[in-house]
Amino acid sequence: MSRGRGRTRLPPAVLAVRGAAGALAVAGLAHTLWHGLHEPGLALAFGVLITVGELARWGALPGEREPAPLGAAGALAYALLGRSGGEPTSHGALQVIAVLVAAQLVAAVPHVARGSGPTADQVARRIIIVSFAAVCFQPLHNSGRSAVWFGDGPYFALFLLVLLVLTALCDAVLGALLLRSGTRFPYGPLLRDELRALLGIGSAVCATGAVMALGVSVAGLWALPVLCVPLLLTQVSFRRFVAVRTTYRQTITSLARSTEIAGYTPHGHARRVAMLCTAVGRELGLSGAELTVLEYAALMHDIGQLSLVDPVPDGATAPLPAAEQRRIALLGGAVVRQTGVDTEIAVVVERQADPYREQPLPARIVRAVNAYDDLCGEGLSGPLDALEQLRLGTGHDYQPEVVESLARVLARGGLTPVLPG
């Protein structure tokens, strides 16, 4: 990214998303201020619900994909609301946007005071997705066409289901686009991860939003508190899951640092290898679960050196004979198995020194990236020479596709002007 006037220039896709969200927010607020609120009680109730949901971001842990599911479900329910207690509603798509924006602004005050809260991209994404659902539903409802076309029976439920699927797909496409702009990883794997995430908290948000809209249409606003409970319980359970996963990762990181503390490997080696391995894994299209296994294996790839009587010079295993590399890898796999860590991680650690044609893809990545970091620390003139050494070993030791993916990752990161191999 280039810099101008001391600020980082945002990618065009991010600017377009934020600009579209800003335009929708201004249009919704201006229209509502000019024409006034329709059904103020409904607007206030859903505004409070969205605000409470956004305030629930307090205590969000790293890795939490949707820290405010109640706010998302409440906004989606208001966008799909056509009746309240059996009586037709008359609010339109622009009022839905205005209520969402106002609720987010109110909820942002304590978050900003605390120095946390949603990012601009998260807010823009929420506005666009809710606007999409409201624009697809409200004009059809207010014009009476939805009643004529679908009625109030199963066809209307099917219409809502199709609309929810389209909204979820739009959210996945937009989320992958924003991640692609920020990380420059390939779009396909990012979109696949976003689509897979829809089966988890995403499906819960969409289902709760639709059920809220249908419940309020029959029972009125009394349905909201009752229908919020399942999603709140889901959020609490997910928070506990993320907390356990965070503790698990911290344990693995501590184990990985044991080789550095004992003086077997250079400081930061495991962390650098893990970061590069994750980037290369994304480049090669690994899924989220596969990337987690790869990251943990990369962090622990040198743990077998703790079993050595004589430390390897500078902790660099790449220059060692193949038999010695294999012995250290098997020792590391045995140590990992004794720690109770996932067996998949142990397999990657113990197979990292095999010929690449016999390795699973994560082990191929760990071997190539570890060798790159070892060679960069051996006094070579720079990353280009290290990559050249890897390319010379692609006949037996390193998979060519992995090496070239590593070169592309390094080139995007600005670490070296890598030339095509």
Side-chain angles (χ1 to χ4, degrees):
M1 296 183 187
S2 60
R3 293 184 179 272
R5 296 183 181 180
R7 293 186 179 181
T8 302
R9 183 177 299 173
L10 294 174
V14 175
L15 288 174
V17 170
R18 293 185 183 182
L24 288 169
V26 170
L29 291 171
H31 179 272
T32 303
L33 289 173
W34 182 262
H35 295 282
L37 277 174
H38 295 270
E39 293 101 13
L42 281 174
L44 178 61
F46 278 95
V48 170
L49 177 62
I50 297 170
T51 302
V52 171
E54 291 294 327
L55 289 174
R57 290 178 182 270
W58 290 91
L61 298 170
E64 204 166 337
R65 180 173 288 272
E66 176 51 84
L70 184 59
L76 190 60
Y78 193 46
L80 301 178
L81 187 66
R83 292 176 179 272
S84 177
E87 297 295 326
T89 59
S90 59
H91 68 274
L94 289 175
Q95 180 168 312
V96 172
I97 298 170
V99 170
L100 170 63
V101 172
Q104 288 189 318
L105 289 175
V106 172
V109 173
H111 284 305
V112 171
R114 187 171 177 259
S116 62
T119 64
D121 288 344
Q122 290 173 330
V123 172
R125 181 177 172 182
R126 176 69 53 81
I127 292 173
I128 290 177
I129 298 308
V130 173
S131 300
F132 175 84
V135 168
C136 289
F137 178 83
Q138 290 297 327
L140 289 177
H141 164 72
N142 291 333
S143 64
R145 292 178 183 175
S146 64
V148 174
W149 292 351
F150 311 112
D152 294 325
Y155 289 109
F156 180 72
L158 181 61
F159 166 61
L160 285 184
L161 177 62
V162 172
L163 183 53
L164 286 171
V165 170
L166 292 176
T167 302
L169 290 176
C170 180
D171 186 37
V173 169
L174 190 59
L177 177 64
L178 291 171
L179 284 174
R180 171 71 177 84
S181 300
T183 63
R184 301 175 68 185
F185 289 133
Y187 183 77
L190 294 175
L191 178 59
R192 185 177 62 186
D193 285 346
E194 290 292 323
L195 291 174
R196 285 177 175 172
L198 294 179
L199 301 176
I201 193 68
S203 61
V205 169
C206 290
T208 305
V211 170
M212 280 183 181
L214 293 174
V216 172
S217 68
V218 175
L221 292 176
W222 293 106
L224 280 183
V226 177
L227 297 175
C228 288
V229 173
L231 193 58
L232 285 173
L233 294 176
T234 301
Q235 183 174 1
V236 171
S237 300
F238 188 73
R239 286 267 171 94
R240 291 181 177 176
F241 167 75
V242 174
V244 171
R245 190 174 63 179
T246 301
T247 303
Y248 183 69
R249 188 183 189 283
Q250 291 171 345
T251 301
I252 290 179
T253 303
S254 298
L255 288 171
R257 288 194 61 202
S258 61
T259 58
E260 299 176 9
I261 295 172
Y264 283 87
T265 57
H267 178 72
H269 170 72
R271 180 179 53 82
R272 291 193 301 271
V273 171
M275 291 176 63
L276 271 179
C277 280
T278 303
V280 173
R282 284 192 180 276
E283 183 79 16
L284 292 171
L286 295 186
S287 67
E290 292 169 330
L291 287 173
T292 300
V293 171
L294 174 61
E295 180 191 9
Y296 293 168
L299 284 169
M300 303 183 72
H301 75 279
D302 270 331
I303 201 167
Q305 295 195 41
L306 292 174
S307 302
L308 300 178
V309 177
D310 298 319
V312 176
D314 297 323
T317 56
L320 295 177
E324 185 65 13
Q325 291 186 36
R326 176 68 174 154
R327 186 174 76 89
I328 294 174
L330 290 174
L331 289 171
V335 172
V336 172
R337 290 180 188 276
Q338 292 175 4
T339 62
V341 174
D342 194 339
T343 304
E344 291 182 83
I345 300 171
V347 170
V348 175
V349 172
E350 65 190 9
R351 299 193 62 186
Q352 62 179 301
D354 294 352
Y356 79 80
R357 292 178 179 84
E358 303 173 11
Q359 292 175 308
L361 180 56
R364 297 176 184 181
I365 296 172
V366 171
R367 179 169 191 179
V369 174
N370 172 63
Y372 169 79
D373 197 73
D374 283 348
L375 293 171
C376 283
E378 279 203 318
L380 296 176
S381 60
L384 283 174
D385 284 340
L387 283 172
E388 187 61 28
Q389 291 290 327
L390 296 186
R391 285 169 174 151
L392 291 174
T394 52
H396 180 268
D397 297 327
Y398 313 113
Q399 185 182 17
E401 292 81 1
V402 172
V403 175
E404 295 311 314
S405 294
L406 173 61
R408 290 193 296 271
V409 168
L410 293 171
R412 280 204 306 270
L415 301 182
T416 176
V418 179
L419 302 175

